[in-house]
């Protein structure tokens, strides 16, 4: 994957370049650009999760078409869990500290935040692989659905727990 | 909503007022305005160095140019930044006409109480009582546990601010969850008579299931209480009667006799009732004496042959006085009581009234359900179409 921060820097327009020359305003501009890059990255990650959720909902469609209603509720709950985490990812805070804050979030921390979010790609890929396995199981061995769903739920829980740590991690306040 | 500037309380009207040299102000959500309100948007574009006070029971969400910069859930006073500063903001606005949008939303972290109740009854197919219509009522406690999802689902999409608006969305789903829990527990063998003893179990099932249903909205249900499942009157009576019979260790007839005696004792015209019993006893004694006299009168003199007796047709006992009622008779020749049509209980074969829903002897449903010829689902007696597949039954 590309580093979106570089792309955002390259594509700065004339106004933003002028802002970089204004004393006291340059820092604001650079921090905003990292936040924009992080936001773009998280939207992509959320879209990947959304694709995985749509695959899960595809499994639900297969079950409905085959009138295999036994595991429908499990699949439905899994879809709901995907939606929750997708929302958390899409609307996560972007890292901010006001005037004279207790904890500073400067450029360095914002870069860490971007890198932290970037590292979540690996977890999402693992989840998507397991969803692909679920797609196979739904068609061939429906009795294995609970086992697969349970595994995906566990992975989503891990993702959720890790993602919630991001601000503590970048500010170095995690105990 | 109140703004606190140097300790002076001001209303929303003063939100546009400038305070201090740079036009900043200190903003707090006063307790007076929190009742039944979950979310409050500060009615002013945040300026450079505007201070917000976040209390223990609040989360503040700071947006700048539409982006969530921070979810502030640690109690403190925070000085916010934006381009809306006296010189810089004015300069930018003068040159480009652009003004930065900076907003603060407050969300309450405290627990709110809500109530739910079913509008439509839930048809519970019980092994003993057949189809039973249930209605559920209860209370729940909820709170915002994920401001990101809450503000984007409830506030951003629906602009809900009060607890009543949020509860309206939640309570319908709560009823569905209770019904869902009942369905699952029924599959595990639970009947309507077990519901009262399993209310806590049902509450826990609902709590667990609610996580998936409400998590995506940023809401957490952390308690379900006061769950009440309303049984139909006739089922409740049958359940109560059975419970009483079990406690007393008697059969149905003994129980009914005891009930009748108790009712007679509680009758306000107790003397008359007692007299009635006496009259009945007198009549009974009279009948016995008359029967004895008749027998003695019909005794042939000694040495005379006894004529052959024509056998009396065997009827049914009267439903009221127990006297023999000839077959086909609609009224008792003894007491005049109207005789109801009867049928045999499919379980214990006891004779019961044709209008009875449950057998007074064994408590089982009298009328068998109608089996669907297509999907084999059992339907209520008299159903014209299958409730499961829609197949015509009659």
């Amino acid at each position: 994957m590309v580093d979106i921060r570089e792309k955002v820097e390259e594509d700065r327009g004339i106004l933003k370049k002028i802002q970089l020359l204004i004393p006291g305003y340059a820092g604001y501009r650079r921090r905003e650009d990292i936040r924009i890059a992080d936001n773009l990255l998280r939207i992509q990650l959320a879209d990947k999760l959304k694709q995985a959720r749509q695959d899960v909902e595809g499994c639900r469609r297969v079950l409905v078409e085959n009138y295999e209603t036994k595991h429908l509720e499990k699949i439905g709950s899994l879809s709901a869990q995907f939606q929750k985490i997708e929302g958390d990812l899409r609307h996560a805070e972007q890292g901010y500290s006001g005037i004279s804050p207790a904890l500073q979030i400067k450029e360095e921390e914002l870069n860490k935040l971007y890198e932290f979010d970037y590292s979540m790609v690996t977890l999402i890929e693992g989840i998507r692989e397991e969803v692909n396995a679920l797609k196979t199981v739904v068609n061939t061995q429906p009795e294995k659905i609970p086992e697969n769903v349970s595994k995906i739920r566990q992975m989503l829980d891990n993702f959720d727990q890790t993602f919630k740590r991001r601000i503590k991690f970048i500010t170095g306040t995690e105990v | 909503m109140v703004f606190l500037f140097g300790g002076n309380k001001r209303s929303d009207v003063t939100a546009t007022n400038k305070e201090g040299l740079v036009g900043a102000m200190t903003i707090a959500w006063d307790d007076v305005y929190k009742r039944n309100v979950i979310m409050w948007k500060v009615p002013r574009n945040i300026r450079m160095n505007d201070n917000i006070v976040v209390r223990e029971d609040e989360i503040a969400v700071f947006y700048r140019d539409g982006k969530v910069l921070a979810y502030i859930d640690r109690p403190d006073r925070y000085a916010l930044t934006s381009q809306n500063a006296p010189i810089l903001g004015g300069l930018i606005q003068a040159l480009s006409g652009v003004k930065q949008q900076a907003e603060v939303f407050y969300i309450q972290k405290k627990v709110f109480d809500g109530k739910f109740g079913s509008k439509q009854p839930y048809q519970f197919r019980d092994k003993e009582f057949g189809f039973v219509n249930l209605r559920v009522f209860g209370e729940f406690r909820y709170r915002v546990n994920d401001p990101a999802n809450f503000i984007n689902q409830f506030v951003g999409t629906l602009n809900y601010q009060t607890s009543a608006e949020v509860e309206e969305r939640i309570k319908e789903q709560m009823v569905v969850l209770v019904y869902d829990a009942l369905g699952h527990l029924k599959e595990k063998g639970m009947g309507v008579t077990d519901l009262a003893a399993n209310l806590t179990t049902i509450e826990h099932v609902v709590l667990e299931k609610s996580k998936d249903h409400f998590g995506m909205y940023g809401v957490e249900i952390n308690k379900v209480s006061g769950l009440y499942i309303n049984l139909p009157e006739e089922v409740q009576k049958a359940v109560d009667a059975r419970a009483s019979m079990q406690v007393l260790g008697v059969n149905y007839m003994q129980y009914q006799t005891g009930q009748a005696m108790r009712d007679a004792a509680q009758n306000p015209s107790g003397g008359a009732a007692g007299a009635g019993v006496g009259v009945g006893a007198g009549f009974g004694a009279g009948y016995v004496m008359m029967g004895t006299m008749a027998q003695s009168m019909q005794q042939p003199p000694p040495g005379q042959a006894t004529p052959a007796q024509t056998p009396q047709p065997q009827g049914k006992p009267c439903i009221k006085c127990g006297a023999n009622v000839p077959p086909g008779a609609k009224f008792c020749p003894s007491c005049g009581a109207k005789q109801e049509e009867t049928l045999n209980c499919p379980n214990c074969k006891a004779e019961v009234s044709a209008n009875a829903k449950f057998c007074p002897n064994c408590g089982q449903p009298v009328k068998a359900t109608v089996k669907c010829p297509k999907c084999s689902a059992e339907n209520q007696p008299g159903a014209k179409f299958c409730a499961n597949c829609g197949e015509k039954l009659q």
Side-chain angles (χ1 to χ4, degrees):
Chain A
M1 271 173 79
V2 294
D3 191 331
I4 302 170
R5 289 170 297 183
E6 290 173 7
K7 188 71 184 151
V8 170
E9 272 181 39
E10 282 171 23
D11 291 355
R12 277 176 187 148
I14 187 73
L15 267 177
K16 288 181 180 176
K17 282 175 179 168
I18 291 168
Q19 286 171 359
L20 286 169
L21 301 172
I22 301 169
Y25 204 84
Y28 163 81
R29 180 69 271 151
R30 282 195 297 270
R31 286 194 297 274
E32 277 299 286
D33 285 348
I34 300 168
R35 287 189 187 112
I36 290 165
D38 181 55
N39 196 8
L40 288 167
L41 171 68
R42 280 187 294 100
I43 287 169
Q44 284 191 50
L45 298 183
D47 285 343
K48 283 179 187 288
L49 271 185
K50 186 180 173 181
Q51 283 168 10
R53 175 170 60 86
Q54 285 169 338
D55 286 345
V56 168
E57 285 164 3
C59 293
R60 184 169 62 185
R61 190 170 56 248
V62 170
L63 289 176
V64 169
E65 283 167 358
N66 298 336
Y67 289 97
E68 287 269 2
T69 55
K70 193 179 174 184
H71 304 301
L72 268 183
E73 198 184 341
K74 281 189 166 57
I75 299 279
S77 296
L78 181 64
S79 171
Q81 194 179 3
F82 264 104
Q83 282 183 64
K84 179 199 173 291
I85 294 170
E86 191 189 317
D88 286 340
L89 192 52
R90 212 176 280 278
H91 308 295
E93 61 184 308
Q94 312 212 352
Y96 170 80
S97 57
I99 301 164
S100 305
L103 295 166
Q104 292 276 7
I105 296 179
K106 295 180 177 175
E107 269 180 70
E108 188 191 344
E109 283 78 17
L110 289 174
N111 277 315
K112 274 188 191 173
L113 189 67
Y114 179 91
E115 282 147 22
F116 185 97
D117 290 345
Y118 189 90
S119 71
M120 302 301 280
V121 174
T122 316
L123 291 176
I124 290 176
E125 288 305 325
I127 290 165
R128 288 182 69 186
E129 277 175 31
E130 205 54 47
V131 170
N132 285 332
L134 177 69
K135 281 162 74 178
T136 310
V137 158
V138 163
N139 285 307
T140 55
Q141 297 167 289
E143 70 279 2
K144 286 194 172 179
I145 289 174
E147 189 186 324
N148 275 68
V149 167
S150 177
K151 197 170 177 182
I152 297 167
R153 290 198 74 142
Q154 189 62 52
M155 291 171 95
L156 285 170
D157 283 339
N158 289 342
F159 181 94
D160 197 26
Q161 293 301 320
T162 308
F163 191 71
K164 278 176 181 168
R165 290 170 41 219
R166 63 202 284 269
I167 296 297
K168 285 178 190 158
F169 175 79
I170 63 156
T171 53
T173 56
E174 194 171 35
V175 182
Chain B
M1 280 59 88
V2 171
F3 293 82
L4 308 168
F5 323 118
N8 297 322
K9 291 188 177 183
R10 308 244 177 139
S11 68
D12 282 354
V13 182
T14 63
T16 53
N17 289 0
K18 290 184 178 182
E19 292 287 326
L21 197 63
V22 293
M25 58 168 58
T26 304
I27 301 163
W29 189 8
D30 200 283
D31 288 344
V32 175
Y33 301 98
K34 282 186 178 180
R35 191 176 170 81
N36 300 326
V37 179
I38 290 185
M39 193 281 302
W40 174 58
K41 182 188 175 188
V42 175
R44 135 186 182 120
N45 201 6
I46 300 298
R47 298 188 183 130
M48 174 64 82
N49 199 37
D50 267 353
N51 277 223
I52 59 165
V53 177
V54 178
R55 294 196 176 96
E56 294 279 0
D57 63 339
E58 297 166 352
I59 303 169
V61 186
F62 180 41
Y63 283 85
R64 205 167 63 189
D65 289 329
K67 300 191 294 276
V68 178
L69 283 182
Y71 294 103
I72 306 163
D73 64 354
R74 190 176 59 80
D76 205 341
R77 181 167 54 82
Y78 297 86
L80 304 179
T81 55
S82 81
Q83 288 178 6
N84 304 317
I87 299 165
L88 183 69
L91 191 66
I92 292 170
Q93 204 171 348
L95 291 171
S96 63
V98 173
K99 190 176 185 181
Q100 188 176 53
Q101 284 297 305
E103 300 158 312
V104 168
F105 287 81
Y106 276 97
I107 295 170
Q108 285 210 61
K109 283 197 288 191
K110 74 163 197 170
V111 170
F112 286 85
D113 290 326
K115 290 181 179 181
F116 65 89
S118 53
K119 290 176 182 173
Q120 297 296 325
Y122 171 69
Q123 280 210 329
F124 188 96
R125 195 167 66 187
D126 186 74
K127 285 178 184 173
E128 294 180 59
F129 295 99
F131 285 95
V132 178
N133 284 338
L134 302 178
R135 288 181 182 273
V136 299
F137 305 92
E139 295 170 8
F140 59 95
R141 285 190 161 180
Y142 68 98
R143 68 183 187 92
V144 176
N145 74 328
D146 184 349
N149 278 321
F150 178 82
I151 208 155
N152 287 291
Q153 291 283 348
F154 277 108
V155 182
T157 318
L158 303 159
N159 196 28
Y160 285 174
Q161 295 191 26
T162 65
S163 55
E165 287 171 320
V166 173
E167 281 159 32
E168 197 58 41
R169 285 272 310 246
I170 294 175
K171 62 187 183 186
E172 290 297 317
Q173 195 62 40
M174 289 297 290
V175 173
V176 172
L177 286 176
V178 175
Y179 285 169
D180 190 46
L182 288 174
H184 283 288
L185 291 168
K186 186 188 72 180
E187 284 170 15
K188 298 284 178 190
M190 195 179 76
V192 287
T193 50
D194 308 315
L195 290 177
N198 281 283
L199 290 177
T200 313
T201 305
I202 295 165
E203 286 173 4
H204 284 296
V205 172
V206 170
L207 265 182
E208 189 53 41
K209 284 184 174 288
S210 70
K211 287 178 185 172
D212 287 329
H213 285 265
F214 299 115
M216 67 175 94
Y217 300 118
V219 172
E220 173 192 60
I221 308 293
N222 58 14
K223 188 165 175 59
V224 179
S225 61
L227 188 63
Y228 174 65
I229 299 173
N230 193 4
L231 297 174
E233 194 181 352
E234 63 272 17
V235 177
Q236 189 61 58
K237 278 181 181 173
V239 171
D240 292 346
R242 183 177 301 180
S244 302
M245 283 155 57
Q246 284 174 346
V247 169
L248 297 168
V250 296
N251 63 25
Y252 183 76
M253 287 305 291
Q254 291 168 322
Y255 176 76
Q256 287 294 84
T257 306
Q259 287 289 307
M261 289 173 75
R262 191 196 64 180
D263 292 347
Q266 288 177 343
N267 196 320
S269 56
V277 172
V279 169
F283 270 117
Y287 274 116
V288 170
M289 286 171 70
M290 282 167 68
T292 312
M293 285 166 69
Q295 275 183 0
S296 64
M297 284 169 71
Q298 286 168 4
Q299 288 283 336
Q304 195 178 324
T306 313
Q309 293 280 325
T310 47
Q312 288 292 317
Q314 278 298 309
K316 292 178 180 177
C318 168
I319 57 165
K320 191 174 180 184
C321 70
N324 186 41
V325 180
K330 291 185 176 178
F331 297 92
C332 172
S334 175
C335 68
K338 190 179 178 182
Q339 303 302 298
E340 287 180 333
E341 283 185 10
T342 58
L343 49 83
N344 289 331
C345 167
N347 183 49
C348 70
K349 308 297 180 216
E351 200 171 56
V352 294
S353 165
N355 297 325
K357 291 181 179 175
F358 301 99
C359 174
N361 186 47
C362 67
Q364 292 296 316
V366 171
K367 291 174 184 172
T369 51
V370 183
K371 205 167 188 177
C372 172
K374 187 179 177 184
C375 69
S376 302
E378 288 186 337
N379 293 272
Q380 288 194 66
K384 291 180 180 177
F385 297 94
C386 175
N388 186 43
C389 70
E391 181 74 6
K392 196 169 183 180
L393 299 174
Q394 293 175 348

